Amino acid sequence: MKTHEIRRRFLDHFVRAGHTEVPSASLVLDDPNLLFVNAGMVPFKPYFLGQETPPYATATSIQKCVRTLDIEEVGITTRHNTFFQMAGNFSFGDYFKEGAIRHAWSLLTSSLDDGGFGIDPALLWVTVYLDDDEAYGIWRDVVGVPEERIQRRGMADNYWSMGVPGPCGPCSEIFYDRGPAYGVDGGPEADEDRYIEIWNLVFMQNERGEGTGKDAFEILGPLPKQNIDTGMGVERVAFLLQGVENVYETDLLRPVIDTAERLSGAEYGPDSASDVRFRVIADHARTAYMLISDGVSPGNEGRGYILRRLLRRIVRSVRLLGAAGETMAEFMATVRDAIGPSFPETVSGYERIERIAVAEEAAFLKTLESGTQLFERAAESARRSGAAVLSGQQAFALHDTHGFPIDLTLEMASEAGLQVDEEGFRSLMSEQRARAKADSQAKKHAHADLSVYRDFLDAGETVFTGFTDLTDESRLLGIVSGGEAVAVAREGDEVEFVLDRTPFYAESGGQLGDRGMISTAGFQMRVDDVQKIGKKLWIHKGVLTAGEVEVGQLVTAAVDPEWRKGATQGHSATHLVHAALRQILGPEAVQAGSLNKPGYMRFDFNWSGSIPADVLAQIEEVTNYAVDADYGVNTIETTLDEAKRMGAMALFGENYGSTVRVVEIGGPFSMELCGGTHVSSSAQIGPVSLLGEASVGSGIRRVEAYVGMDAYRHQARERALVSGLATSLKAPADELPDRIAALTAKLREAEKALDSLRAAQLASQAGDLLGSAEDLGGIRFLAHSAPGGAAGDLRTLASDLRGRLGSDAGVVLLTAPGQGKVPFVIAVTPAAQERGLRAGDLVKAISPALGARGGGKADMAQGAGTEPGGIDAAVSALRDAVRDAG
């Protein structure tokens, strides 16, 4: 049974049972506790936490999930993937244990003709929590599972929570027996390789307190409502129903292994030592593909770092299998063809996915090349010192600092006749993981308490009237102050107002919330910010500047018209810039974030490499052409599918409702899904002045611009600057670039001449300086300070002095104090090196006195300090170090 059919049968089964089918959320959600969605219940957390009232009593979904805690273990076990699909059914105060158990058992054991999976009931085992006699009785007496196939397990295995205070409860798991060829008898308690968990039914009935781990927390008491959260692993069921050996050989991942075989010439087989590498490629290629499709780009932190690790492990693994050159495009295309029927939206965005993955591969191939050179230097150093082992510190530095995989380090060391201190490397890796885990725990916290808004959320949505009105009469439904609901607010109080209807725009889509006033004859409140709770409740934040107000009063809500005008200009300008970017750069330039407010806009987009100034000028020109064309701005409310058919752009990582709002500017020029406020026609935006572009992460660029009157003021300042330069240089404005270039060239020539003169003066001193060298036990020691000297000059002079010392053992220290810094160079002759002196090691002797950092090789090292007053102490310390060697 193909994976796509497994998905369809699951959803159809629960829809027939009255559940609402909910589409998968993006892998990236705004959750402070999660890098990625890691369980099917995550999108439903507001309902389980009591923050929002669910719009349905029961639901079903197949949620995209990513778990990356043990990336290094991928491919070793037969059942773990970093990306997986969690099929789930959920009850919010509707059915409970018996209903959940009956639904799961029916789907698993019903015949194929009846829409089930047709699994033999005799192959299924179940586990329940230690004291959950109710679940035990349902399995035994209602479903008919023999007692010998029902096992009780402890809290670590059969009790669920989110890891933070909140809902929790016992769970019951369903296992599939693969048979005696895969392990010993005795059920899940005996062998979880033979008995594979395929379904987990969570009976959410309690509330947990603070604590750590799976079982070190207190159960505070029962929840007001009993809920059901279940999850069936689609990949696990697929590998069992398809009769393959593991999750990597199913119809969604085996094609990637086949591609890896073709590209590498290696063979995948059940006993092959290379199997883990094939599985890593298959797993990581699919996960990377899905992450990029949801808007993640490679980077050095957070989600971007995870994606980068996955892509680099693919490159490493395929090279170790024997492939040469770039392979990523083929892997991404294979994943697209396999997973496309389940996730068609990834196919339409494939060009961007491929471009990002291929760019990261190309960058890492260069890293591998440079890493190889670093390894060779480390290996040569080990051989020179007579060592047969590359230290754990060196291997860790290659891995951590330079991104060089330990697998390649081990392989190359073996070829070079060296061993690697793997224990030392693993120890350093463990320390790093411990630090990362501690940091993660420090950042992890309980969910924000939004219960104060629960009654308001239950009462219904705030009616937003701001698309047509800037002033509206509203009823004050609630006042929140200091995190608590209050009945009255007085002058000076910082408050949050909940209104039944409002013209104020709440921050979203990159547009900041409106500013303005809420008032009656008896009070005034200055609105400084407007936010949304649960996507449907508007919270007006600000300060009561006069009088007092009670809940229930009728009030006047008035948006500052100048603020709104500027905000709409900035938001509409963002759409024009997006369209211009795609027109000039191509369809791969897709939005990755934005911020717009009166007079200013910032736009992030997916793109690799900087944008030349002339191309940026084209983008600015196209944007302002659209302004000058005075395009009409139209808004259309329709279904998501219809909006896509119209050609409207949807953003990665956004979750849209059944009805969406399309903002169209100039017909085909710009058409995007957007809930923001906009101008009536493009001419109302006014001029748009791009300020430049820059990188804000791997594969993401940012442009910033002034809009409207702020753009005019910016251009006026630029014009005044040009006028001032023209007057100073006595040249027309159009000749300024050539005149400035000529002056710059002359300045550079003068600087070169000064550098040459300074270097010649230093060189002329070399003979005199040698005469002042001290004899320290047969080692000539020379220390000299040249205030204001350049670091390059010091290096040249140090090299000259070392050469003049010839076969003598000698150490040279040169410093050049100036402007709070102390550049320095240490040079050591070959004869002094034979006596154990190394320039790189000697840096450590002077660093404390100079407040310095630096390093180098045995013959020469350099660096800089911040303590010019420590030169004498540094010379003394170095003298002692040389004397000790003598």
Side-chain angles (χ1 to χ4, degrees):
M1 186 183 297
K2 297 294 185 183
T3 302
H4 308 305
E5 183 180 350
I6 292 171
R7 287 168 46 95
R8 191 68 261 160
R9 283 176 178 262
F10 183 95
L11 292 172
D12 288 348
H13 174 79
F14 285 100
V15 169
R16 285 196 300 269
H19 294 63
T20 298
E21 182 178 337
V22 179
S24 173
S26 167
L27 285 166
V28 180
L29 290 184
D30 184 16
D31 189 312
N33 297 298
L34 297 174
L35 278 178
F36 305 112
V37 171
N38 62 359
M41 59 76 62
V42 169
F44 302 100
K45 281 200 301 185
Y47 308 146
F48 290 129
L49 290 167
Q51 297 170 349
E52 299 180 33
T53 300
Y56 27 67
T58 60
T60 184
S61 70
I62 296 182
Q63 174 62 45
K64 301 178 288 187
C65 301
V66 168
R67 292 180 186 169
T68 58
L69 289 177
D70 299 304
I71 290 178
E72 289 84 357
E73 302 303 315
V74 168
I76 297 174
T77 69
T78 61
R79 59 188 185 276
H80 289 101
N81 292 132
T82 50
F83 171 87
F84 58 95
Q85 302 170 76
M86 186 58 73
N89 58 287
F90 308 91
S91 167
F92 310 105
D94 194 77
Y95 61 80
F96 198 48
K97 291 183 183 179
E98 183 171 337
I101 290 172
R102 282 181 177 274
H103 282 310
W105 191 260
S106 172
L107 176 58
L108 291 174
T109 61
S110 292
S111 69
L112 297 179
D113 291 341
D114 290 334
F117 293 143
I119 296 175
D120 182 355
L123 298 177
L124 298 178
W125 289 61
V126 295
T127 63
V128 297
Y129 182 55
L130 284 175
D131 63 0
D132 193 352
D133 295 332
E134 181 185 2
Y136 189 96
I138 295 170
W139 282 116
R140 182 190 61 193
D141 303 330
V142 178
V143 176
V145 178
E147 287 189 346
E148 61 269 20
R149 295 211 310 272
I150 307 174
Q151 297 183 331
R152 295 180 185 263
R153 306 184 79 174
M155 184 173 274
D157 294 303
N158 276 69
Y159 203 94
W160 175 91
S161 81
M162 286 187 289
V164 293
C168 64
C171 58
S172 182
E173 298 174 329
I174 305 175
F175 290 78
Y176 180 96
D177 181 5
R178 303 174 71 196
Y182 295 94
V184 299
D185 292 334
E189 277 282 88
D191 190 334
E192 287 198 19
D193 285 324
R194 170 176 170 174
Y195 301 90
I196 298 292
E197 178 200 339
I198 57 174
W199 205 320
N200 186 16
L201 299 88
V202 176
F203 310 131
M204 209 177 293
Q205 62 191 51
N206 298 320
E207 182 179 0
R208 63 156 282 184
E210 297 285 352
T212 58
K214 292 185 177 182
D215 51 9
F217 53 83
E218 181 184 2
I219 307 300
L220 301 179
L223 292 172
K225 287 184 179 180
Q226 296 177 327
N227 302 314
I228 287 293
D229 158 27
T230 82
M232 185 196 80
V234 172
E235 279 74 14
R236 293 192 185 186
V237 172
F239 101 75
L240 295 171
L241 294 183
Q242 291 174 18
V244 295
E245 290 298 309
N246 54 63
V247 292
Y248 307 100
E249 297 176 15
T250 64
D251 59 318
L252 294 192
L253 289 182
R254 179 64 205 225
V256 185
I257 291 177
D258 294 340
T259 298
E261 284 186 307
R262 176 172 55 81
L263 294 173
S264 67
E267 184 178 352
Y268 176 80
D271 299 317
S272 169
S274 299
D275 280 2
V276 171
R277 291 170 186 160
F278 279 109
R279 294 170 186 165
V280 164
I281 293 167
D283 173 89
H284 289 6
R286 181 174 65 170
T287 304
Y289 177 96
M290 296 303 293
L291 288 177
I292 298 172
S293 77
D294 274 356
V296 181
S297 293
N300 293 324
E301 295 181 353
R303 300 181 179 104
Y305 178 66
I306 295 294
L307 174 60
R308 171 161 286 167
R309 282 190 67 194
L310 296 173
L311 291 170
R312 289 185 169 190
R313 292 193 87 218
I314 297 170
V315 176
R316 172 198 65 188
S317 297
V318 74
R319 285 174 67 88
L320 288 173
L321 289 173
E326 297 183 357
T327 58
M328 195 64 68
E330 298 221 35
F331 289 138
M332 292 297 105
T334 303
V335 174
R336 174 199 60 198
D337 295 342
I339 209 165
S342 290
F343 300 98
E345 68 276 9
T346 68
V347 178
S348 60
Y350 175 70
E351 288 186 7
R352 173 181 167 274
I353 296 171
E354 181 191 64
R355 176 176 57 79
I356 290 176
V358 168
E360 183 64 20
E361 177 187 36
F364 185 49
L365 287 174
K366 293 179 181 178
T367 296
L368 283 177
E369 182 178 347
S370 62
T372 299
Q373 296 173 356
L374 290 167
F375 169 83
E376 289 173 350
R377 287 202 289 269
E380 178 60 29
S381 175
R383 279 192 291 264
R384 279 203 313 266
S385 64
V389 179
L390 203 66
S391 73
Q393 181 65 51
Q394 289 173 306
F396 180 75
L398 282 165
H399 170 84
D400 188 58
T401 305
H402 303 287
F404 203 61
I406 185 62
D407 292 21
L408 287 181
T409 300
L410 292 169
E411 183 176 339
M412 295 174 65
S414 177
E415 293 172 355
L418 296 171
Q419 294 181 322
V420 177
D421 177 12
E422 288 190 70
E423 184 176 342
F425 172 81
R426 304 291 176 195
S427 175
L428 291 167
M429 285 293 294
S430 296
E431 290 176 14
Q432 184 190 60
R433 288 196 189 100
R435 288 192 297 269
K437 185 175 181 180
D439 182 58
S440 176
Q441 283 297 119
K443 292 177 181 177
K444 194 171 187 178
H445 54 81
H447 294 265
D449 182 10
L450 301 179
S451 58
V452 68
Y453 305 109
R454 175 62 186 269
D455 291 341
F456 304 126
L457 286 163
D458 289 347
E461 298 187 11
T462 303
V463 177
F464 176 60
T465 61
F467 286 135
T468 56
D469 299 307
L470 294 183
T471 302
D472 205 349
E473 296 300 315
S474 308
R475 186 167 297 280
L476 180 58
L477 299 180
I479 304 171
V480 176
S481 181
E484 296 182 357
V486 297
V488 179
R490 296 178 176 83
E491 184 175 342
D493 289 351
E494 292 187 11
V495 293
E496 298 175 1
F497 277 9
V498 180
L499 308 179
D500 63 341
R501 55 193 291 117
T502 181
F504 283 85
Y505 182 81
E507 180 176 343
S508 62
Q511 181 176 334
L512 296 185
D514 279 333
R515 307 294 187 264
M517 299 291 291
I518 299 175
S519 62
T520 65
F523 88 97
Q524 281 192 335
M525 177 221 185
R526 184 187 70 238
V527 179
D528 298 323
D529 188 20
V530 186
Q531 296 290 327
K532 286 183 188 177
I533 300 292
K535 296 187 177 181
K536 64 179 185 179
L537 187 71
W538 268 239
I539 304 298
H540 307 74
K541 300 183 177 184
V543 177
L544 216 66
T545 57
E548 71 175 51
V549 61
E550 295 181 2
V551 171
Q553 285 186 230
L554 286 175
V555 300
T556 299
V559 176
D560 179 343
E562 286 302 312
W563 173 277
R564 173 64 73 81
K565 177 184 176 184
T568 58
Q569 287 177 312
H571 202 153
S572 298
T574 301
H575 283 227
L576 296 188
V577 170
H578 191 188
L581 283 163
R582 292 171 61 79
Q583 182 174 321
I584 301 298
L585 300 179
E588 297 86 2
V590 176
Q591 180 173 348
S594 67
L595 172 69
N596 41 80
K597 61 181 181 179
Y600 171 84
M601 58 143 286
R602 184 181 79 202
F603 188 80
D604 298 344
F605 59 100
N606 293 290
W607 191 257
S608 297
S610 61
I611 300 176
D614 60 329
V615 175
L616 200 63
Q618 292 179 51
I619 294 167
E620 183 180 69
E621 183 175 352
V622 170
T623 301
N624 282 288
Y625 174 85
V627 171
D628 185 63
D630 197 17
Y631 289 138
V633 179
N634 302 307
T635 58
I636 306 163
E637 289 195 354
T638 183
T639 65
L640 179 58
D641 289 341
E642 179 60 28
K644 289 180 177 179
R645 280 193 290 272
M646 292 167 57
M649 288 194 63
L651 300 183
F652 291 106
E654 286 289 327
N655 295 309
Y656 296 99
S658 56
T659 301
V660 296
R661 184 168 179 266
V662 179
V663 175
E664 174 193 74
I665 305 179
F669 184 81
S670 172
M671 188 182 297
E672 298 187 30
L673 301 187
C674 180
T677 63
H678 289 273
V679 297
S680 308
S681 67
S682 62
Q684 293 177 1
I685 296 171
V688 179
S689 292
L690 294 185
L691 305 179
E693 67 90 34
S695 171
V696 291
S698 178
I700 299 180
R701 310 296 295 184
R702 169 176 293 173
V703 292
E704 296 178 273
Y706 287 129
V707 181
M709 285 301 297
D710 284 81
Y712 166 77
R713 296 184 188 101
H714 170 69
Q715 292 167 356
R717 289 193 298 270
E718 296 284 295
R719 188 166 58 248
L721 177 62
V722 169
S723 177
L725 284 171
T727 300
S728 298
L729 297 178
K730 295 181 174 59
D734 58 356
E735 294 181 9
L736 283 178
D738 292 338
R739 181 65 63 88
I740 292 172
L743 289 173
T744 301
K746 288 181 179 180
L747 179 60
R748 286 175 181 160
E749 288 298 322
E751 288 174 343
K752 287 181 181 179
L754 286 172
D755 288 343
S756 297
L757 178 61
R758 189 164 50 245
Q761 290 174 335
L762 286 172
S764 68
Q765 299 173 10
D768 295 335
L769 290 174
L770 282 178
S772 64
E774 303 176 54
D775 188 310
L776 302 176
I779 300 175
R780 299 180 69 184
F781 173 67
L782 170 60
H784 176 68
S785 183
D793 295 339
L794 292 184
R795 189 176 179 89
T796 300
L797 179 58
S799 180
D800 183 18
L801 290 169
R802 184 184 57 196
R804 290 174 182 249
L805 287 168
S807 60
D808 291 349
V811 174
V812 176
L813 168 63
L814 300 180
T815 57
Q819 297 182 346
K821 294 186 178 180
V822 190
F824 66 84
V825 174
I826 299 175
V828 180
T829 65
Q833 292 174 46
E834 292 175 1
R835 298 178 68 168
L837 291 169
R838 300 284 188 274
D841 295 337
L842 293 176
V843 169
K844 300 174 184 176
I846 68 171
S847 293
L850 296 178
R853 297 179 63 184
K857 299 180 180 179
D859 60 340
M860 186 171 291
Q862 65 185 45
T866 58
E867 300 291 342
I871 291 178
D872 290 342
V875 171
S876 179
L878 186 58
R879 182 183 290 111
D880 291 342
V882 173
R883 185 181 288 114
D884 291 343

